[in-house]
Amino acid sequence: MPHPHIHPHDESHLSSSAMLQDIVIGLADGLTVPFALAAGLSGAVDSSGLVITAGLAEIVAGSIAMGLGGYLAGRTEVEHYDSELKREYAEVATVPEVERAEVDELLAEIGLSESTRALAVRELTADPDQWVRFMMKYELGLEKPDPRQAPKSAYTIAGAYVVGGLIPLSAYFFTPTPTEGLIWSALITLVCLLVFGYLRSRLTGQPPVWGALKMAGVGSLAAGAAYGVAKLIAGWDFLGL
């Protein structure tokens, strides 16, 4: 007598992967964009207070924009899946023979014999719901998205952006001048970028050292460009005064 499956295994791979991806997106932008802004302002103003004020404003605006982007992306995925699901149900109802032929083709691609395919097609297409699920997954390559993922992504990305943005800005709270703040901010952010790039590459199966150097290089390039542009513009006399 078969034993009942009393404790079903709750698969959490997809949600964990989605959360990790959202954290990476938020932290990556949070570490680089506010750092570049603060570096640019450090080359144009003499007050750390101005850098802090502008930096905090950017972090608030950036986190909202990033969170909204994550939410819209999640909602778009759900809406796309629902649209394709309706289309598949309509095709199963209106052109069943065409859909059966597509099921047969998909089974043939994985090497099933003709007799086995015929039996499998009959079994798979006996239940419209099972039939449509099969087509969604194996014909279209679509997995049913979690409708709760969109707000989760929004909060995760926004929160990670805030955390990442406060790291380079924190140095300006404890230094008297923007120049000194920039030096400490650059050192702190560079270390964080190296560590973050290393860990991200380890988790995603990429070469960790190269990932760390690439992440640090992108952040340094962005900050250097912003600082150089700010210094250049600060030296222009727009009004001829």
Side-chain angles (χ1 to χ4, degrees):
M1 178 179 178
H3 296 286
H5 191 66
I6 301 175
H7 302 290
H9 175 57
D10 184 17
E11 292 285 351
S12 60
H13 303 294
L14 290 178
S15 61
S16 298
S17 176
M19 178 173 288
L20 175 62
Q21 184 180 26
D22 292 338
I23 291 173
V24 167
I25 292 172
L27 273 178
D29 281 7
L31 281 169
T32 53
V33 178
F35 175 47
L37 173 66
L41 288 173
S42 297
V45 301
D46 297 323
S47 170
S48 293
L50 290 176
V51 177
I52 293 171
T53 301
L56 290 175
E58 195 287 326
I59 290 172
V60 171
S63 64
I64 293 173
M66 292 289 293
L68 180 59
Y71 177 81
L72 293 177
R75 289 303 307 164
T76 299
E77 185 179 2
V78 171
E79 291 167 2
H80 173 63
Y81 183 89
D82 290 343
S83 174
E84 291 297 325
L85 187 67
K86 292 177 182 177
R87 186 178 67 83
E88 281 298 327
Y89 270 112
E91 291 178 352
V92 164
T94 57
V95 286
E97 293 307 316
V98 174
E99 292 296 295
R100 285 191 179 91
E102 290 179 353
V103 172
D104 185 71
E105 290 176 7
L106 291 169
L107 296 174
E109 289 177 0
I110 63 177
L112 296 182
S113 65
E114 185 175 352
S115 59
T116 303
R117 295 202 312 270
L119 177 61
V121 169
R122 191 159 56 248
E123 292 285 341
L124 284 170
T125 59
D127 178 10
D129 292 332
Q130 177 179 263
W131 188 355
V132 169
R133 284 197 300 269
F134 178 85
M135 299 302 287
M136 291 291 289
K137 183 172 183 178
Y138 295 103
E139 181 193 24
L140 302 179
L142 296 176
E143 295 281 355
K144 182 176 176 59
D146 182 359
R148 299 170 299 177
Q149 186 58 42
K152 288 180 183 177
S153 291
Y155 294 132
T156 303
I157 293 174
Y161 189 93
V162 170
V163 172
L166 288 175
I167 291 174
L169 195 62
S170 62
Y172 292 89
F173 286 92
F174 307 103
T175 52
T177 64
T179 301
E180 188 176 346
L182 176 60
I183 294 173
W184 282 106
S185 178
L187 290 174
I188 294 170
T189 306
L190 182 61
V191 172
C192 289
L193 287 171
L194 286 170
V195 173
F196 175 63
Y198 183 90
L199 293 176
R200 184 184 68 169
S201 299
R202 283 288 299 272
L203 291 172
T204 56
Q206 304 298 317
V209 174
W210 170 243
L213 294 175
K214 182 168 63 174
M215 191 76 186
V218 170
S220 299
L221 181 63
Y227 182 83
V229 169
K231 290 293 284 186
L232 179 64
I233 294 176
W236 292 351
D237 187 358
F238 290 102
L239 301 177
L241 299 177

